[in-house]
Amino acid sequence: MSTDGIGARVRRKEDYRFLTGNGHYVDDINRPGQAYAAFVRSPLAHARIRSIDTGAASAAPGVLAVLTGDDAKADGIGGLICGWMITSKDGSPMKAGGHPVLAQDKVRYVGDHVAVVVAETLDQARDAAELVDVDYEELGVVASTATARAAGQPAVHDEISDNTCYEWELGDKAATDVAFSGAAHVTRLDIVNNRLIPNAMEPRAAIGDYDRGSDSFTLYTTSQNPHVHRLVLSAFVGIAPEHKLRVVAPDVGGGFGSKIFIYAEETVCLWASKRVRRPVKWTAERAESFLSDAHGRDHVTKAELAMDANGKFLGLRVHTIANLGAYLSTFASCVPTYLYAPLLSGQYKIPAIYAEVDGVYTNTAPVDAYRGAGRPEATYVVERIVETAAREMGIDPAELRRRNFIGPDEYPYQTPVIMTYDCGDYNASLTKAMELADYGGLAARKAEARARAKLRGVGFSCYIEACGIAPSAAVGSLGAGVGLWESGSIRFNPTGNVIVNTGSHSHGQGHETTFAQLISSHLGVPTDQVEVVHGDTDKTPFGMGTYGSRSLAVGGSALVKAAEKIVAKGRKIAAHLMEASEADIEFKDGKFTVAGTDKEKSIQEVAFAAYVPHNFPPDLEPGLEENAFYDPLNFTFPAGTQICEVEVDPDTGVVEIVNFVAVDDFGVVINPMIVEGQVHGGIVQGVGQALCEAAVYDEGTGQLLTGSYMDYRMPRADDVPSFKVDMTVTPNPSNPLGVKGCGEAGAIAAPAAVMNAVIDAIGADLQMPATAERVWQALQAGTKMAAE
């Protein structure tokens, strides 16, 4: 029986190389004859390009090429695409402005790509980039989400006069209006979900390497989904036919969604490598990452919740303006639509929901998926308005939630907004979280804090998320360009060790450990005899990559199906070896046995026999290797409760988190230690959004005011306490592993829990981030109002 399989707290196999400095990242790779790229970026948020003089830069020492958008156009290099079509409520398709890899005619945000210099050394490329002379005609700027569509605003794209990409809706407007007309109480709330910058530990990087002999390309890049990169660069951008393009994503130091997308830099490095007949390398400076990595969130929302006299939810209305930035990034269009509004039912029975989302262009960096991608925004709307409603109606916030939870006997549960939840026990998570938080002792702790002239508050966040993005047929009907299945293969070597190839990609999740545990449980092979290979389109089967907490639920399920095929073939070989009927062969804990006898063969013995002539049935092919694809039947629906308790110093506005509890239902857990680490990291990111992080643009100039760590405040260790983390389990019926996904839950639930706690403490509403200055100002405003 496997002791390091499913459920075991196995230390991550990959950590040894990371902790000893032996990770292999893109910037660690250097190709023979390698040159370096430096990008000329726009210093203006909106301007026409009158001319680009590259003469001085081209003549600079070591320069191999200076390329502009005109060169890309002449070479037939297409623009970057958005892979998800959204249809407006009037039936018209979304308005997608062009996104050239190097600017043509206009620049649309500070940091937009204007030209690239390729030189022998990085310093030479940077020096020459400063010599590129661009003559700009400065234009008016729109940098505010709330006013992007207002009359008189400059058009980010000339052909889209009102800066509106789409006006989308979901739900039953008429039924929702009826629900509100009969409400005893309506809670209304204005919500701003602040813009965030991903800040993965490893900045983006790329090496484009053209092989003249084979007329083929290799791209080494920081990608969460290398096969999708290859597909887009081939089929849409036109770099090369797919069979002439290899994409390698080695160790990747964090992504949080920002490395899903296809960016200009890796595209240009590939194209430039053919132009100069040399490998071309680029690694982002942190300042470039602030400017040009896809940002996250940035919603302005008006929400209304209708209730009867007892607090029963009757209807929810939401109108959101979603900032898409200057261009549509790869999946930007679906994040504030199909990844957002279908989660507005939360954990609750809300009979009628109607959501409207206006996607708008602004002169800011593109906005796309960031850890949670639409689900954090939905949870923030739902949990903030539920908490506000409880306060207005004088009902305990836990009690109001309990009155409206979907019951454990009500599944499958069809929400009014697409989703069909398959399982859950929300009250169990809430109850356990309240016990861990000592909710019953809150009143005493508030009184004790008041005696010290401090303000204490508690906030709840009962979240649900949809992971896996499924099934492919349904997703395709919603406008996605590709299916959302996943692939996997398992190969036994003759000596009995195992190579697992997966279309998923690991950039911090621990796949090399958890996938090995899965194989250990299903095939009885110790985890140290399992090697997991990912991130290379020449080695792994076509797969969709890692995002949306899908890797185990979808990628792991593909491996389960491949393992089942391995056992089926192994059963035939074992029957041949032991001269028994295949129907009498049983498999358990890595051994094939003949029922009712003591005959047995280990799976390693069977694997060896599979490669030796005459040791396997003559009608079988040699070897023991199987491939499988898995297309999920439904999303998975992790859910749980977070409770945050804070203490506020009214003299300074400083917020201290004094207690934080998270109880999650992730279904079957493969490795509890890795899951807890994922939850911890997610909570810290959520706390960062709630208390300190915010990407801020000057509304007059479009300049990024928070373009470094001096101005963009990241959470630190002393901002958070030791978390209390626990789990409840309702196995997922929609996949063979019973798993649900855990990578984003912490970031989804934490912002609402923290903000609800701060607002409970100070007795005044405010928007994220709850910086000391904002909290102090809210307290002062409340004191002034009381005095008046």
Side-chain angles (χ1 to χ4, degrees), residues 579-631:
E579 300 179 331
S581 167
E582 183 185 339
D584 292 332
I585 300 297
E586 299 174 346
F587 180 75
K588 185 179 180 181
D589 296 335
K591 290 183 171 60
F592 293 95
T593 58
V594 180
T597 76
D598 60 356
K599 290 183 177 181
E600 68 176 32
K601 292 287 183 182
S602 70
I603 196 168
Q604 288 85 358
E605 291 174 295
V606 168
F608 183 78
Y611 290 93
V612 178
H614 311 301
N615 276 17
F616 52 86
D619 60 333
L620 288 185
E621 294 180 350
L624 193 56
E625 178 176 1
E626 296 290 348
N627 302 313
F629 289 83
Y630 179 76
D631 192 352

Side-chain angles (χ1 to χ4, degrees), residues 463-532:
Y463 78 96
I464 189 167
E465 58 168 322
C467 299
I469 311 182
S472 290
V475 171
S477 71
L478 299 179
V482 292
L484 277 305
W485 38 261
E486 195 49 86
S487 63
S489 71
I490 300 171
R491 183 179 78 242
F492 273 81
N493 293 322
T495 51
N497 44 42
V498 177
I499 304 295
V500 171
N501 289 285
T502 175
S504 300
H505 186 275
S506 181
H507 42 279
Q509 292 85 353
H511 293 171
E512 293 173 40
T513 303
T514 52
F515 284 175
Q517 289 182 257
L518 187 157
I519 296 302
S520 180
S521 284
H522 282 268
L523 297 178
V525 180
T527 57
D528 62 3
Q529 295 295 304
V530 180
E531 180 182 356
V532 177

Side-chain angles (χ1 to χ4, degrees), residues 445-459:
R445 294 194 298 277
K446 282 190 170 186
E448 188 274 334
R450 282 195 298 272
R452 294 184 286 107
K454 305 291 185 183
L455 303 173
R456 191 170 282 235
V458 70

Side-chain angles (χ1 to χ4, degrees), residues 193 343 346-348 375-388 391 397-398 401-402 405 426-427 429-431 433-434 437 439 458-465 638-645 659-665 682-683 686-687 689-690 744-758 768:
N193 204 296
L343 275 300
Q347 299 183 1
Y348 310 110
R375 284 75 54 85
E377 295 92 316
T379 295
Y380 193 71
V381 169
V382 173
E383 290 305 291
R384 284 284 294 109
I385 201 165
V386 168
E387 194 99 350
T388 303
R391 191 175 301 114
R401 288 173 167 86
R402 284 195 171 109
F405 277 156
Y426 310 138
N427 189 53
S429 297
L430 175 61
T431 299
M434 291 173 69
Y439 187 65
V458 70
F460 290 77
S461 182
C462 295
Y463 78 96
I464 189 167
E465 58 168 322
T641 295
Q642 291 186 5
I643 301 176
C644 176
E645 191 169 332
N659 192 15
F660 202 107
V661 171
V663 176
D664 300 284
D665 180 358
I683 292 172
V687 168
Q689 177 174 15
E744 297 165 300
I748 289 170
V754 174
M755 291 303 295
N756 284 336
V758 173
M768 294 189 290

Side-chain angles (χ1 to χ4, degrees), residues 639-703:
T641 295
Q642 291 186 5
I643 301 176
C644 176
E645 191 169 332
V646 301
E647 193 167 274
V648 177
D649 184 339
D651 293 330
T652 64
V654 170
V655 176
E656 179 186 5
I657 298 176
V658 295
N659 192 15
F660 202 107
V661 171
V663 176
D664 300 284
D665 180 358
F666 297 133
V668 174
V669 172
I670 305 297
N671 186 318
M673 182 172 63
I674 288 178
V675 168
E676 289 165 7
Q678 288 284 319
V679 172
H680 286 190
I683 292 172
V684 172
Q685 281 186 280
V687 168
Q689 177 174 15
L691 295 185
C692 52
E693 293 186 53
V696 179
Y697 284 89
D698 183 276
E699 292 190 11
T701 65
Q703 294 293 326

Side-chain angles (χ1 to χ4, degrees), residues 756-770:
N756 284 336
V758 173
I759 291 166
D760 180 52
I762 68 174
D765 193 33
L766 74 164
Q767 305 290 357
M768 294 189 290

